[in-house]
Structures are given as C-alpha cells and as structure tokens.
Amino acid sequence: MEYNCPNCGAPINFQSRVSIFTTCTYCRSNIVRHDMDLEKIGESSELLQDLSPFQVGTRGTIDGKRFTLLGRIKVGYPTGMWSEWYALMDDYSEGWLAEAQGYYMMSYPWKGLVPESHQRFAPRQSTNIDGKRFVVDDVRKIRYLASEGELPFVYQPGFEATSVDLRSPDGEFMNFLYRGKEAEAYKGRYASFESFQFENLRKIDGWDD
C-alpha cells in the first residue's frame, strides 16, 4: 500500500497489512498510519551503523516458510546492543529475527501464561514453561535506540523494559518483556545463519561476495 510522507512527500510503501509505523528513508520522520492517513509524530535518530548482513528487503526461510525483513529495532543494554528484525511470512503471519553476537533466533508472539514479574528469574536458573524445561540465559534492562523500516506497533524512542531470555536443551527460545505491569512473550528457536538461506543481503565493504 503506497502513501506519501506527510513531511517531505517521499513515497512510503507499507508491505504488511498490520504495520502501523515506519520511518521515512529520506527525512527520517517517524510516521504512524491511521487507516488511509499518515501522521508525523517526530523524527528518528540515525540508525547506529554495524556489520549486520541484513537490510530491509532481505528474504529467508525457516521451517519451510519464506519471510521478508520489513524493519528493525536497535536494542541497547549497559554492555552492548543487538537488532530485532520484524519478519513478515509469506502466509502473512509475523515473527521477529533476533541478531545478537553471531546468534540468530526466530520467535513469534506467544499467548501462554506469562509469569507476573521478572524478579522470579535469575541467570542459569532452571524453570518450567508450558510443560518444558528452560534455563535463563539473561535478565537485563534494555532500551530502544533507533529503528528503520516498518513495524507492527508505534516505535517509542527511549522505551525501557526488562528482558528475560531463556533457552531449552533442544534449542527452543523464550523471551519475556516486562514494562511496569505489562508483559509480552515470544517463543521460537535458534538456527544457524546458513539454515535460513538468506537472499538480498547487504553488501559490506571488505567482505567477499
């Protein structure tokens, strides 16, 4: 669905029917979609440069399903940062590809029972989630640093929360995200870079083709 930026007039295209937020690639305006109208709600800082091989438009495959990366959030914590890429599957379901220090996890919104507080978790603690054993990898404070592309919610610069990452012995991944009394959950699995069969990767100076 094509629109024009309400700030600079540049073309804006929403590929996902549920995406309601994007950043204009020309003027960096933060844009919210209200049905057929667009609203500018601020400006986004420049995305921090990194050596990610991904870009908006990169395609891949997981568990037999094709997907396209439509946008991302750069997430920071006291000792580092990682990227969360918003993925639209060819069947119009949605996922998130986390890219962190050479690890890749595809996860999906999970509707199970979320523990009430992050305070019940500690690193290396074993816990039972939905009848399966998981071990806590990390409990950390996070902050949204920047975004690009389209997202299924309104991006909030400076958003802060507590993130809990868990892993099962067979490679499943769980994440609980706590902000005040609100909590979200995502479930998926780790996978190797090669297994995704990525296409349309970003060209990085110094890397071999």
Side-chain angles (χ1 to χ4, degrees), residues 74-126:
K74 198 74 172 178
V75 183
Y77 58 100
T79 58
M81 63 184 67
W82 78 89
S83 291
E84 293 280 355
W85 291 89
Y86 173 47
L88 180 68
M89 307 295 169
D90 282 358
D91 63 3
Y92 298 105
S93 61
E94 302 169 273
W96 288 90
L97 175 66
E99 173 195 13
Q101 300 175 342
Y103 291 95
Y104 304 92
M105 300 84 78
M106 180 66 81
S107 60
Y108 311 90
W110 186 65
K111 302 302 182 182
L113 182 63
V114 180
E116 292 184 0
S117 172
H118 63 84
Q119 295 179 347
R120 62 156 290 184
F121 297 107
R124 296 182 295 279
Q125 170 190 338
S126 179

Side-chain angles (χ1 to χ4, degrees), residues 3-8 12 14 20-24 27-34 37-43 149 151 153-155:
Y3 299 84
N4 293 100
C5 175
N7 184 58
C8 71
I12 290 179
F14 283 91
I20 62 172
F21 178 91
T22 192
T23 301
C24 177
C27 69
R28 300 296 298 171
S29 291
N30 290 335
I31 307 298
V32 176
R33 178 171 64 173
H34 304 284
D37 298 319
L38 299 185
E39 176 190 5
K40 176 184 175 181
I41 61 170
E43 294 183 1
L151 300 170
F153 54 80
V154 177
Y155 169 78

Side-chain angles (χ1 to χ4, degrees), residues 60-67 89-91 108 189 195-197:
T61 301
I62 189 168
D63 299 328
K65 296 197 297 185
R66 296 280 289 160
F67 62 86
M89 307 295 169
D90 282 358
D91 63 3
Y108 311 90
R189 69 178 180 88
S195 69
F196 284 100
Q197 304 174 47

